[in-house]
């Protein structure tokens, strides 16, 4: 019963089945296959807009390649201090961009604030040769703290981004969770809100290894095919990556899977909120929960066979923990974890009593 | 009936089955899973030597990351003028190494000549600050022209490489075809012959997307895990890459698959050699065939539904063509292609008569 | 009367004379000349320690090359948020290091705090593949806010730096001002205090264009000659750079020039402190002054022909200004500027009265 | 008496005088000074065309920065196999371009052949994602073998370059020698002949350290100021670099200096041609001479206090040597060297007799 991350889950059966189907017969390599050829239309329909789509196999590849396309080596990429690109990709964006600088900004619950972004850009020294030049802004939706930007919030940021001549990138490793939770259309949360490039994630949502870089302005994709090949992210048997993406969005599978993850997270969050001594640290809007939990309860739950991330920051009230649900999280495991925590908290309370 | 490349084939059933097996239950991400944990021992046993093994998903990633580990930005990588790293990876080795220079050398049938390598290194200006510094040599085995280096030939090159303080890398995208054809052990063709780092390929051999960088001297792997992550080639659901590698080498599957590819290539080559006006351009030692074929026969075969690569270089005798067989090439397709070519050659001959 | 920076000054006559002397006759290029050959001993004597010294011509080259030698592409460089390498070199450290990440830290008056550095390193995720790895710490002495680290303060930071296995770099663009002000020896403020590599500046101190990267542990200089050449910072007529460095430190010229700059800064600071409505923002310890000055006085002084930097941050009390003195700053210009400011402040006061 | 290179010479008195003149008073840093401000018009007049000019201090910086502006990281730079950028800059072009690939071509006497370039580009795989993409061509004029491209020869190459959508760069480290020898205008040998970017050299011609990147199409200079700063080649006391450039071209000084170097080379070449056993290896068209000289004569001349480069390639007729004259080469040294060689050759002849 592993609540450590949504990438501890395997792959959805529909996607495995698609792999098997894609395995029939020969196919031209490097994306010149029939499945990959279909992706343009499939995603243009999904986003109600022409797109330039480039399948890759890791989220870091999607982010780093997309940001490199939007940012020159002497450029700056603005993001939240909690952003995955800033903290968890070992400098992949710097590597792919040729040494651009990431500029971390604050913001409640993992979300950038338009006014703060504007003042940061205002004082960045645009046009002054001594300073790296602001080129792009990257936001994650679902954010790294489990919260969501609404379309109008994205729009408000995009207005600042574009006013200063920058481009807006969205890290959509959990884009499905955001769409499923907000009930808006992919278009509303992306290009209509001002997103220029999207890292569309499928791996965390139920694929084996499939992501896509999506440009809504094809001129931004110039040279991108070479960047991807040069980064060694062009697959010879590309059909096996493309087939995952096709199956993932077919008949709304991606939203069905994400809705389940969101629903189990909601159930888990509600239960945690009722536990004495457990504190939710951020609004739970999709499939990630951040909570402060007394140490004894954490250890007890781990001993009972449950797992989730215990972060460094610890105080007398407990440790900051991250719990994530996935497309295949079982309700009984959610309830089991809640019961385990309750039992160990109660025991503690009794000992304290 | 596609003889364009071995990467037009799908995946072997045993490997697909392994993916399905790996999909059961949760697993820790980023290589902290049970399957990945087994690879160290599996490959140490296979190579009869301790190894540091790093799964990736493309051959270019394996090559570029391995070479970057062996070569500083101011270094030079020596390779054959026909090498995949020199011609077909859009500069991935330059990108990953931080701008090292590839130095192409000649050599019959795609193989480097020890004496030529030695004289190139002798005149490279080692220790002179104006010149990039020789750091590594990369050879492909099976070579890009379908030929093979025997263990003693690798050893002769390795002696030169090490005499000058360089490291030897082997691009083993078709290592299985080489081992199957030579009947030697993986150890004999790698570390025992002086190979320091090997790109071990599985994709062309029958996997969906799985390769591995293997270091025989673990000190060369220092910092490699960061390079891989930074290159965005560390997979969150790593078990799906590792499971392919495990299944590929289990019970000799990799050699069984490669032997079939080699045997069908031999049958095809023998048939081509008997065709009037068809000339084999290099010894056929594994699963790649290079032949000059009259244009009318090429067009006829294509019209009959066969496909292979027709290279630019054309003369009155015909065009330079590459034909590749795979683990799933059917004998009837080989014979069918030969019959088609014979028919169109004969027709031509008649027209000529 | 330009107080904008110490690089608005020209070159000291002794250094121009040395250029002329160096111009006699032929000399071998690229550092194989007699002047350059003398630098090793000259600087080993100056620092009472063997050194590996590499002349370059800009401070950014010295910093970026030195940091690249101490930091792998997947590494992190810790520095103060006000550091020149972080704000004023357009990403040169990122470029030369191959995309390392700079991590800015706070600290009063432009100085890092050992405890803050330690806790930042403690939570940096050392050894975890997802995170860039702390590799070096860079401090400026004289700092960008005109303050100084004493030898024991450098030592306290170095202890933290080395406890975590990192290397300590010092940006000494104004090292002379620090030595002259503190009255300690170059050794005490560098290697004896734990500095591993020093950017030794001469340009701001009175040279035309001359800096040097100095390593106190020669093993850290491995490959550095290639880095410098590759960065296009190896001069063919190197004697002209080396001659500046030789003249700069000969007979204590560098400290004589720096003492003058420091003394005029002290006089200017004392005068500013006496002006009504003018506030000194940081201790004035060398040749840089930061003060908040009422706008009308700034404009008045500019109208009178004086110049200094007026920074963005403005409030009702005035604007944040930087005033810098140089080796050739004239006392009458200091007094003239003070009189001009006093006059315009008085006028303002009268208007206000 | 050093004929090793023109960079063994010092600086011309007029240029040293200009440095002294530039040293009077304060000046704004980083190119915001009066001298630098004049360069635009000075060079626009010199080239009879608007230019974007960027002073730097080394020829490698000019070449690497210019090529990086014309070539993406996934691009290829075509040049002669003897080119300085290919052999003598330790990979600076690769570093600045982010890992572009240099493609060396042959050509008699160090000059590219339009037809060879065209066929190389024809087979380069333009538009194919697996191959680096041809982006620029770089030629040296004066070439590394002491020969010259005439305006019509440059034009013939430029036509091929532009037909394939590439840009043409000229390494003009010895541009003055070419102009002085050909008697054409700077315009005729650059933009009128199709050159897009020129590395304009002054150092070898008589400056201390001054070069300039000149773009004839200002749109190609977009972002160049950031590249230069990021490469740490923007000088704080820029007036000292700019003053050298201004003095160098003032009143035709550059051509006067180059004409002297060319004339002494012609005299030396004529003398060498008359010596028994000495063979000139390339036409001597400017200030570089390549000759095969018997070993005993080389050793004798060295013993007599003369110096020039003896290259690796040696046969029974002698060693391949390079002799270079400079703006300050004395006629008596030329005649002295010839006499020394003659004496030692004669002695040898006698011994042989």
């Amino acid at each position: 019963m592993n609540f450590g991350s949504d990438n501890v889950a395997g792959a959805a059966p529909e996607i495995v089945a698609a792999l098997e189907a894609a395995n029939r017969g020969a196919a031209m390599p490097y994306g010149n296959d029939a499945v990959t050829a279909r992706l343009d239309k499939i995603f243009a329909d999904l986003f109600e807009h022409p797109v330039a789509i480039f399948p890759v196999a890791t989220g870091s590849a999607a982010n780093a390649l997309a940001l490199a396309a939007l940012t020159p080596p002497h450029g700056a990429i603005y993001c939240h201090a909690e952003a995955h690109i800033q903290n968890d990709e070992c400098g992949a964006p710097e590597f792919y961009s040729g040494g651009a600088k990431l500029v971390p900004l604050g913001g409640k619950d993992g979300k950038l604030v338009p006014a703060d972004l504007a003042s940061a850009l205002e004082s960045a020294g645009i046009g002054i040769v001594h300073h790296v030049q602001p080129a792009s802004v990257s936001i994650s939706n679902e954010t790294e703290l489990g919260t969501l930007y609404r379309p109008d919030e994205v729009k408000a940021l995009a207005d600042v981004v574009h006013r200063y001549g920058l481009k807006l990138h969205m890290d959509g490793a959990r884009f499905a969770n955001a769409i499923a939770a907000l009930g808006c259309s992919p278009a509303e949360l992306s290009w209509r809100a001002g997103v220029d490039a999207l890292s569309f994630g499928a791996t965390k949502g139920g694929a084996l290894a499939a992501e896509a870089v999506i440009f809504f302005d094809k001129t931004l994709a110039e040279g991108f095919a070479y960047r991807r090949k040069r980064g060694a992210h062009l697959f010879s048997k590309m059909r096996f990556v493309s087939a995952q993406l096709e199956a993932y969005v077919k008949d709304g599978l991606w939203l069905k899977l994400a809705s389940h993850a969101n629903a189990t997270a909601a159930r888990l969050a509600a239960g945690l909120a009722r536990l004495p001594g457990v504190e939710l640290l951020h609004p739970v809007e999709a499939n990630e929960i951040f909570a402060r939990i007394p140490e004894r309860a954490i250890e007890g739950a781990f001993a009972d066979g449950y797992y989730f991330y215990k972060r460094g920051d610890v105080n007398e009230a407990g440790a900051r923990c991250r719990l994530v649900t996935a497309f295949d999280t079982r309700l009984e495991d959610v309830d089991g974890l809640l019961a385990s925590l309750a039992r160990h908290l109660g025991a503690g309370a009794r000992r304290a009593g």
Side-chain angles (χ1 to χ4, degrees), chain A residues 8-347:
Chain A
V8 304
E14 297 88 340
I15 293 174
V16 174
L19 270 193
E20 291 160 3
N23 192 29
R24 298 197 195 97
M28 291 302 285
Y30 299 112
N32 301 313
D33 61 273
V35 189
T36 305
R38 292 194 293 265
L39 293 182
D40 268 356
K41 179 170 189 332
I42 290 170
F43 279 81
D45 291 348
L46 186 67
F47 281 91
E48 308 167 56
H49 193 285
V51 297
I53 178 168
F54 298 87
V56 292
T58 69
S60 292
N63 288 337
L65 283 163
L67 290 167
L70 304 178
T71 315
H74 60 268
I77 301 164
Y78 287 71
C79 63
H80 194 282
E82 297 281 341
H84 197 267
I85 60 171
Q86 162 75 352
N87 300 315
D88 300 304
E89 298 183 350
C90 199
E94 288 90 339
F95 175 47
Y96 277 86
S97 63
K101 183 188 282 286
L102 272 66
V103 180
L105 301 175
K108 189 163 182 307
D109 298 326
K111 293 162 66 175
L112 293 181
V113 179
D116 298 348
L117 175 62
S119 69
L121 294 176
E122 199 51 50
S123 61
I126 293 176
I128 299 176
V129 74
H130 305 289
H131 311 312
V132 290
Q133 295 298 296
S136 59
V137 175
S138 180
I139 58 175
S140 303
N141 205 16
E142 175 182 359
T143 74
E144 285 77 10
L145 297 182
T147 55
L148 299 176
Y149 288 96
R150 276 69 185 161
D152 63 314
E153 296 176 298
V154 175
K155 183 75 172 55
L157 280 168
D159 290 344
V160 176
V161 169
H162 296 144
R163 189 187 323 143
Y164 285 88
L166 282 60
K167 298 296 180 186
L168 181 60
H169 166 258
M170 181 178 282
D171 176 352
R174 296 183 175 99
F175 189 69
N177 302 89
I179 293 294
L182 296 173
C184 63
S185 73
E188 289 172 301
L189 200 58
S190 58
W191 62 273
R192 280 207 189 108
V195 172
D196 297 294
L198 170 70
S199 294
F200 180 87
T203 309
K204 287 183 163 72
L208 297 82
E211 313 275 320
V213 176
I214 297 176
F215 293 99
F216 299 104
D217 171 357
K218 293 189 178 191
T219 65
L220 297 177
E222 192 201 335
F224 191 87
Y226 299 105
R227 287 184 187 280
R228 179 177 58 170
K229 172 69 184 185
R230 183 173 174 77
H233 290 288
L234 177 65
F235 285 70
S236 58
K237 297 181 177 178
M238 177 71 90
R239 54 172 149 170
F240 292 121
V241 178
S242 300
Q244 295 180 62
L245 291 169
E246 182 179 44
Y248 182 60
V249 298
K250 191 174 182 200
D251 304 331
L253 176 65
W254 66 307
L255 299 180
K256 195 187 100 200
L257 298 174
S259 297
H260 176 84
N262 292 349
T264 46
R267 183 187 182 100
L268 179 53
L272 289 170
R274 284 191 298 270
L275 291 178
V278 172
E279 173 198 7
L280 293 181
L281 300 172
H282 303 289
V284 176
E285 303 184 330
N287 71 319
E288 293 189 274
I289 299 166
F290 290 80
R292 188 168 298 284
I293 305 177
E295 301 257 29
R296 68 177 184 286
I298 296 168
E299 282 136 36
F302 285 10
D304 291 342
Y306 296 95
Y307 179 73
F308 46 82
Y309 282 152
K310 178 181 163 184
R311 297 296 175 88
D313 146 39
V314 180
N315 64 24
E316 62 295 330
R320 183 163 172 276
C321 300
R322 187 188 79 161
L323 303 89
V324 187
T325 57
F327 74 91
D328 63 351
T329 298
R330 298 181 308 172
L331 289 183
E332 56 261 48
D333 292 334
V334 170
D335 297 339
L337 170 56
L338 289 168
S340 169
L341 290 168
R343 191 161 60 254
H344 296 290
L345 286 163

